[in-house]
Every structure is written in C-alpha cells, then in structure tokens.
Amino acid sequence: MRWALVKVSLAVTTMVVVAFAVPLGLVIRELARDRAFSNAEREAAAVAPALSITTDRDELERVVASAGSDAGMAVHLPAGDGQEALELGRRRAAEADIAAVRKLGRASTTGVAGGSTLLQPVALSTGKIAVVEVYVPESDVTNGVGTAWAVLAAVGVALILGSVAVADRLGVRMVRPAQRLAEGAHDLGEGRLGARVPEEGPSELRLAAVAFNSMADQVVQLLANERELAADLSHRLRTPLTVLRLNTASLGEGPAADQTRTAVEQLEREVDTIIRTARQAKPQTAAAGPGAGCDAAEVVRERMAFWSALAEDEGRKWRVAGADRPVRIPVARADLAAALDALLGNVFRHTAEGTAFAVDVHNGEDAVIVLVSDAGPGIPDPEAAMARGRGSGSDGSTGLGLDIVRRLAESTGGDVRIGSSVLGGTEVRIWIQLDGRAPATGGHRQPRRRRPGRLAAAYHRSRSR
C-alpha cells in the first residue's frame, strides 16, 4: 500500500511537471528568439533616418558603425540616377531574397549559415528602396534558453522528489498502523494472547486498533472463564469418584475387581490432570524438548492388555500388530493413552458384543501410523463424526473422543482419517509426524503429499491382510 501510494504520487507529479514545463520551455525559446530579432529591428531602424537623408558612402559607414557592428550589418543601395548600386558591410542574404524584400516593401527574415538575417526595407529620397541587412547569429537566438531549461528541469525534479517524500511519509503514517494491526492479529492467532496494537494512525485504523484490543481482552477473559469452568466441572467429579473408589474396596479380589480399581485410579489421575491443566493454562498435548515423547508400541501393549479382559468377557477377537519393537513418537504418554482409550472405548460402546477389532502400528522414517479398526457396522458420515460435539449420530456419541485424537495428531503436524477397514467396519488412521513441523493451527487440514515409502507400503500391506 505504501509503495502504491508513492507510485501514484510519482506518476501524477511527473505528468503535472511535464504538462507545465514543456510548454513553458517552448515559450522561453520563442521569447529568446523574439528578443534577438527585436534587437535586430532596432539596429536597422537606427540606420533608416540616415538613408533617407544621404546616400554618401562615408556618411553611411559612420552611421552603420555607430548603430551596430560592421560584421553584423549590411546596407544594400539600388542603382539609379547615374549612380551605381552600393553595398556596405558583409552581405549574407541571397540576392533573390534582397530583391524580393525591395519589391514587396516589407521586412523579412531568412536563414543563413550560422544563424538568420533580418532584411528591413528603407525608402530613399530618390524613391528607391534600400535594404538594411542585420545578421542574427544562432547564439543570440538561443541565449539563456539552456539555462532556463536547466532551471525548469531542476524545479521539476525537486517537485517530483518532494511529492515522493511527502507521499512516502503519508504512506508510512497509513501503512505502519495497518502492519502493526496485521502483526497483532497474527500473534493472537498463534496463541500469544498478550498481543496488543498501539492505537495510533488515521482515525479508521485507530478505531480498528481499539476494536482489536477490545477483542483480544475479551478472548483472554473468555479463555480464562473456560479454564475456570473446566476446572470447576472436573472438581465436581471428585466426590462421586471418591464414593466409587470406596465402593471398589468392597469388591474383594479378582481380575474384574482389580481392573475396576485400576480404572478408578486412572480416572482420578485424569481428573487431576484436567484441573491442573485448566488452572495453569498450559497445553499438554504435544511433548516438549528434545527426546520427549513416549514409546507408542509400549503404550499400545499396555492399553490392549487393559481392554483385552473386557474383550474376552464380551467374546471379541482382537489383534495387535507392529507393537513388538519400540516406536518413539513426539507425544506425551498420557495423551496417546487417552487417544487409544477413546478409540477403543468407541469400539466397545458402538459395536455389538463379539465384534472383532485390531490395532496396528506402522513405523516410518518421517511418520508413525496407528490404525484402530473393527468389524462393526461402520460410520455412515465420517466427516460429521469428526466434528466436535456432533459424533457419529448414534446414542451416546458426542465426537469429543475423536476430537481428542485429532488434536493429538495435529499437534505433531499429522492428521486423522476415518475410512473402511479390512475387517468390514470402521478404520481410524492416526498419522503422527516425526519431522518436527509446526502443529496445525486448527480446522481439518489437508496433509501434504508424501512420496511412497516403506511406511506407505507397510500400511497398504496391513489393509490387504
């Protein structure tokens, strides 16, 4: 915007300067020419009275010498009354031009080598017409024109530079507040909630800055209220959790009782994590620092060991593949466990007893794929299922579990896709990036095109089994 304003000002000023300077330069040249020929006419007029009185050569030479320069003036007297034609001074004009002036009886100018000549007719006492020739060199015609044009050019350049400087200052005054507003909006979008914009510049931009700062303050307040609400709601769960934990003490011994107590303890830890996260306002999704993260294979084995007991009770067949070797990913252990629990919980919640399911882990050079598939009826509208708060449309489905999985994947630069599994039901593919790209900034992003490699080959082999 700033440079556009400078360009417009430069173009307009240049056109104005050209429109005035060119005609003015031509006028100056014509004035110089008129001045030179006016001087020549005055010199010729100084000789005319002497010609009307006498035609004596000596007298006329003195008059010519006093009127001008012998090298620049000539007098042409016609022959008559027994007197030969007389010429004083150096003749430059052609004989035909002199004869034409004598015949017509009016002054004329004609071009000669090095300049022009003024031919002025003068009536003699004898009735004949003499011609006074005054030489006007080209230097007299252009005297002062070059200097005047240089002054005009300097004034024009000064006007153009001045207009550009003024336009640049105006552009800075307008553009700089707009740039600060854009930078503030970018910072706020990146999560820097302390970003504010100076309320300066033109009135429209000042109003925009005031509105932006007010919006930023409101966003901070809304986030604070949301964190407090999340903490309060989570804290309300402590009482029923305490009662549930006390009741598990009376279950006695056995695998089912141990699993129930383990689930209650994990639920208490998750509630505590939610409360701390809400109070501290620190994201807990992505692992931070070099070497941070977890072993995805270990987490998969641990969670499948937990869900396998329930699967045996319901007669479900299950399978784990790719979890026999360590698979490091840049995700916190608790977050991956929560994502797996959300997906496996959906399998048990939304498929009938006896429905088989599987978890596959594929490790590649730049990404890790975790597949959770089942042999259930599938999800008719995967896009709607990924929408937070909507779910698959079945009873008890809110979409929050899939939203947890999506945020975990996007925190690494990956994504989540829902499709059909080789078992005949739903397949949820979690793509976890390992190359350290910036996390996605919200919304369902399209992943970048990746060249086929060992990870893609392994992924397609798993689908063909």
Side-chain angles (χ1 to χ4, degrees):
M1 179 179 179
R2 171 185 175 185
W3 294 115
L5 183 61
V6 171
K7 290 179 181 178
V8 170
S9 176
L10 177 62
V12 172
T13 307
T14 302
M15 287 189 295
V16 171
V17 169
V18 170
F20 281 94
V22 171
L24 188 57
L26 297 177
V27 169
I28 291 175
R29 189 179 66 177
E30 291 300 322
L31 289 176
R33 178 181 178 84
D34 292 342
R35 181 180 65 246
F37 280 95
S38 296
N39 293 334
E41 290 175 357
R42 284 195 298 271
E43 292 180 7
V47 179
L51 288 174
S52 62
I53 297 174
T54 181
T55 58
D56 182 68
R57 183 184 185 92
D58 295 335
E59 292 292 336
L60 291 177
E61 287 179 350
R62 285 195 295 270
V63 173
V64 170
S66 63
S69 173
D70 293 340
M73 180 181 291
V75 178
H76 307 287
L77 297 174
D81 297 336
Q83 188 177 9
E84 296 181 355
L86 178 63
E87 289 192 2
L88 301 177
R90 178 184 175 185
R91 181 169 65 86
R92 292 180 174 83
E95 185 65 31
D97 294 333
I98 296 174
V101 170
R102 184 177 286 124
K103 180 178 179 181
L104 296 176
R106 64 172 179 264
S108 175
T109 59
T110 181
V112 296
S116 302
T117 58
L118 171 67
L119 300 177
Q120 179 70 43
V122 178
L124 301 176
S125 58
T126 60
K128 301 292 183 177
I129 301 297
V131 177
V132 179
E133 177 184 346
V134 180
Y135 173 62
V136 181
E138 188 66 26
S139 58
D140 290 349
V141 175
T142 59
N143 184 28
V145 175
T147 302
W149 283 8
V151 172
L152 286 177
V155 172
V157 171
L159 288 175
I160 293 174
L161 295 178
S163 67
V164 169
V166 172
D168 182 69
R169 291 300 89 195
L170 291 177
V172 169
R173 184 173 179 270
M174 295 177 61
V175 172
R176 186 169 297 169
Q179 289 177 340
R180 290 175 179 173
L181 183 61
E183 292 172 358
H186 181 268
D187 292 342
L188 187 63
E190 291 292 330
R192 291 185 281 273
L193 301 181
R196 296 297 183 272
V197 178
E199 299 173 2
E200 57 186 20
S203 58
E204 295 81 3
L205 293 177
R206 285 201 303 270
L207 293 176
V210 171
F212 175 83
N213 293 336
S214 177
M215 177 194 68
D217 294 337
Q218 189 173 5
V219 168
V220 172
Q221 185 62 39
L222 290 175
L223 290 176
N225 294 339
E226 182 180 357
R227 291 194 298 269
E228 291 298 326
L229 179 61
D232 293 342
L233 293 177
S234 301
H235 194 274
R236 294 180 186 179
L237 297 176
R238 286 180 177 271
T239 299
L241 279 176
T242 302
V243 176
L244 185 60
R245 181 168 55 82
L246 294 176
N247 291 337
T248 57
S250 62
L251 295 178
E253 301 297 333
D258 294 338
Q259 291 176 2
T260 302
R261 282 189 285 268
T262 301
V264 172
E265 293 175 357
Q266 181 182 359
L267 185 57
E268 286 182 327
R269 289 194 299 270
E270 294 294 338
V271 170
D272 292 340
T273 301
I274 293 174
I275 294 176
R276 286 194 301 270
T277 302
R279 294 296 187 188
Q280 298 173 2
K282 294 181 179 179
Q284 299 293 324
T285 301
C294 67
D295 182 359
E298 181 183 357
V299 176
V300 169
R301 292 194 302 269
E302 175 187 320
R303 300 320 302 156
M304 287 300 293
F306 173 81
W307 289 100
S308 62
L310 182 58
E312 292 176 359
D313 293 340
E314 295 186 358
R316 297 176 182 266
K317 294 182 179 180
W318 55 275
R319 174 179 59 82
V320 177
D324 52 345
R325 289 181 297 178
V327 179
R328 297 294 303 180
I329 59 175
V331 174
R333 180 187 185 90
D335 294 330
L336 179 59
L340 290 173
D341 287 342
L343 294 179
L344 294 174
N346 285 341
V347 173
F348 281 85
R349 188 177 301 111
H350 301 297
T351 61
E353 294 186 7
T355 302
F357 66 96
V359 178
D360 297 88
V361 180
H362 302 284
N363 188 14
E365 296 179 356
D366 63 344
V368 170
I369 292 179
V370 179
L371 298 175
V372 179
S373 54
D374 61 64
I379 298 178
D381 190 353
E383 185 175 353
M386 290 298 299
R388 180 180 176 87
R390 292 180 58 183
S392 63
S394 59
D395 294 338
S397 176
T398 63
L400 298 180
L402 288 175
D403 187 68
I404 292 174
V405 179
R406 177 183 61 81
R407 287 190 287 110
L408 178 139
E410 290 183 351
S411 69
T412 67
D415 63 1
V416 175
R417 294 293 182 88
I418 300 178
S420 299
S421 71
V422 295
L423 299 178
T426 302
E427 176 187 86
V428 180
R429 188 207 70 178
I430 309 174
W431 190 291
I432 301 174
Q433 277 296 122
L434 302 178
D435 55 7
R437 292 189 296 115
T441 56
H444 296 288
R445 57 185 291 275
Q446 294 294 331
R448 59 184 175 92
R449 294 281 184 182
R450 302 176 176 88
R451 57 182 178 86
R454 290 181 296 176
L455 178 59
Y459 169 58
H460 290 297
R461 283 198 303 271
S462 70
R463 291 180 58 85
S464 61
R465 285 200 297 265

